Amino acid sequence: MGSTITGTGSYLPEKILTNADLEKMVDTSDEWIFTRTGMKERRICPENMASSDLGAEASKKAISDAGINPDEIEMIICATITSDMVFPSTACIIQNKLGLDNIACFDISCACSGFIYGLELARNLINSGQYRKILVVAAECMSRVTDYTDRSTCVLLGDGAAAAIVSYCDDEYGIIDSYLGSSGKYGNLLYVPAGGSRLPASHETVSGRLHFMKMEGSALFRIAVNAMSDAIKKIFERNNVNPEDVSLLIPHQANIRIIQGVAKLTGFPMEKVFVNIEKYGNMSAASVGVALDEAVKSGRIRRGDLICMVAFGAGLTWASNLVRWGKNG
Ligand code: UT7
């Protein structure tokens, strides 16, 4: 008995924030952003929408792609660090937007690694025999925690959502294995200081801009390259897999130079690495899911292909998985 991805979907808000737009907001340049990150533009959520709206749209597409009735879904796992509210969970809000009721719904907070963590949770719950169809959705409005006066972070982030239907299967296709890791000692390299129980919202937290993301970029850069490369090597070793066996590597899209560094350290030619960073920037948990959906829909993944996803983010957290793609088209 195993579990496989039977449908994917993604949703990107229409509004585009280009490097040229950012040049008018902070002291930066298209040249700096593109050469240092590989990004050209990113999507921004409209004021009247939140993460659950993006997540619900992506989920509808995944449900339709899987060709299932929404009522067949038994659980919703939402990966987000930009939940609509402190509580209830964004998964419960998405459930309501999908017209579902009486199923298990909860959020997970693993930042950029969240989609892979969610898939792994779904895989194990399905393999336990208790569930047959789980919706994993990653939805992020990173623009809501971005300080558009801080050039070191505001050029990097975008909004979007992705979803996957993980289903019971009894053939050789599906999610084979995942490797998950984290290191809380580096939590101070990437975080939003206020808005939780440590520093609830106050005039001081607002005036101190403490509801926005703080990041130590260059320290993170080094750890990201090593942690993602290590996550790939570990999952390959455990499953006796080589880069030649894998058709496509789908990495988190935080920086093209991180992706190139990981590809080099793990022996992947860039032709076998999926990159869409120029269009969307870093969408945290949604990045890997959107990349997976685009890779499938553009024909870069076919039935029988072995693919590897890998991510790294706040926590710090990291994750990799191996999937033998089982869906046609
Ligand atoms: O999602 C997972 C977690 N996030 C990450 O993994 C992000 C990892 N880090 C990175 O991607 C890179 O470190 C950044 C893109 C954030 C920064 O690139 P960098 O090559 O590490 O630059 P740096 O931070 O070392 O800064 C180099 C210079 C500095 O100026 P000085 O001190 O050399 O005069 C910065 O002030 O670039 C300056 N700088 C900028 N200049 C123009 C920083 N941001 C900008 C900017 N435009 N937007």
Side-chain angles (χ1 to χ4, degrees):
M1 187 164 66
S3 42
T4 193
I5 297 170
T6 53
T8 59
S10 55
Y11 180 80
L12 286 314
E14 277 172 28
K15 187 179 169 194
I16 294 175
L17 182 69
T18 65
N19 290 353
D21 296 328
L22 285 159
E23 282 176 347
K24 293 178 202 132
M25 297 159 70
V26 286
D27 180 14
T28 192
S29 65
D30 172 48
E31 200 264 334
W32 191 97
I33 301 170
F34 186 65
T35 53
R36 298 283 182 126
T37 71
M39 297 171 189
K40 287 185 177 163
E41 51 189 50
R42 56 295 287 146
R43 300 300 178 94
I44 304 295
C45 185
E47 264 174 39
N48 63 348
M49 287 177 91
S51 294
S52 68
D53 299 296
L54 309 185
E57 292 307 314
S59 300
K60 285 179 202 163
K61 291 187 187 178
I63 290 165
S64 150
D65 190 45
I68 60 167
N69 185 321
D71 293 339
E72 293 174 51
I73 295 168
E74 296 157 314
M75 173 183 283
I76 301 175
I77 301 172
C78 179
T80 184
I81 50 168
T82 50
S83 45
D84 284 24
M85 294 175 243
V86 173
F87 66 84
S89 72
T90 301
C92 281
I93 301 171
I94 291 173
Q95 176 200 29
N96 192 38
K97 286 184 193 293
L98 296 177
L100 300 176
D101 203 9
N102 283 322
I103 57 168
C105 298
F106 60 94
D107 287 358
I108 55 171
S109 172
C110 319
C112 314
S113 313
F115 187 69
I116 302 177
Y117 266 74
L119 291 179
E120 177 60 357
L121 267 171
R123 175 176 86 100
N124 282 287
L125 286 161
I126 288 171
N127 290 1
S128 76
Q130 243 185 309
Y131 297 89
R132 290 177 82 86
K133 282 191 178 63
I134 297 179
L135 167 63
V136 176
V137 49
E140 300 280 24
C141 281
M142 295 307 292
S143 62
R144 302 283 155 82
V145 293
T146 296
D147 184 349
Y148 287 100
T149 66
D150 174 11
R151 70 174 182 175
S152 68
T153 54
C154 74
V155 301
L156 304 173
L157 302 155
D159 302 335
I165 304 294
V166 184
S167 306
Y168 160 89
C169 72
D170 54 10
D171 56 26
E172 70 273 31
Y173 300 104
I175 307 169
I176 296 166
D177 192 13
S178 308
Y179 168 73
L180 310 179
S182 55
S183 189
K185 70 182 175 197
Y186 294 123
N188 61 346
L189 296 182
L190 186 55
Y191 66 116
V192 175
S197 59
R198 172 87 40 204
L199 273 182
S202 65
H203 290 297
E204 289 72 31
T205 61
V206 172
S207 62
R209 310 188 78 76
L210 299 180
H211 294 271
F212 295 127
M213 189 181 97
K214 312 291 172 197
M215 186 180 85
E216 295 288 337
S218 40
L220 274 177
F221 188 106
R222 282 188 296 277
I223 303 173
V225 173
N226 290 324
M228 288 208 283
S229 303
D230 190 50
I232 294 171
K233 286 177 188 165
K234 283 220 167 67
I235 196 110
F236 280 16
E237 268 165 34
R238 211 150 79 176
N239 293 277
N240 202 18
V241 162
N242 295 306
E244 301 78 59
D245 305 322
V246 173
S247 331
L248 195 64
L249 177 69
I250 302 181
H252 174 51
Q253 312 279 315
N255 188 317
I256 189 66
R257 292 182 295 131
I258 293 178
I259 295 173
Q260 288 161 342
V262 170
K264 197 170 169 199
L265 282 178
T266 54
F268 271 96
M270 282 304 286
E271 303 81 66
K272 289 212 306 189
V273 181
F274 193 86
V275 177
N276 62 5
I277 195 169
E278 68 283 358
K279 292 191 289 182
Y280 309 128
N282 180 350
M283 299 180 287
S284 183
S287 278
V288 170
V290 170
L292 172 69
D293 185 47
E294 289 199 341
V296 173
K297 303 286 160 62
S298 64
R300 286 199 63 187
I301 301 176
R302 306 225 173 256
R303 183 172 161 84
D305 284 353
L306 184 62
I307 61 167
C308 176
M309 302 177 214
V310 64
F312 168 86
L316 300 178
T317 60
W318 50 86
S320 61
N321 69 11
L322 279 172
V323 179
R324 177 74 64 190
W325 197 253
K327 190 172 153 51
N328 285 314

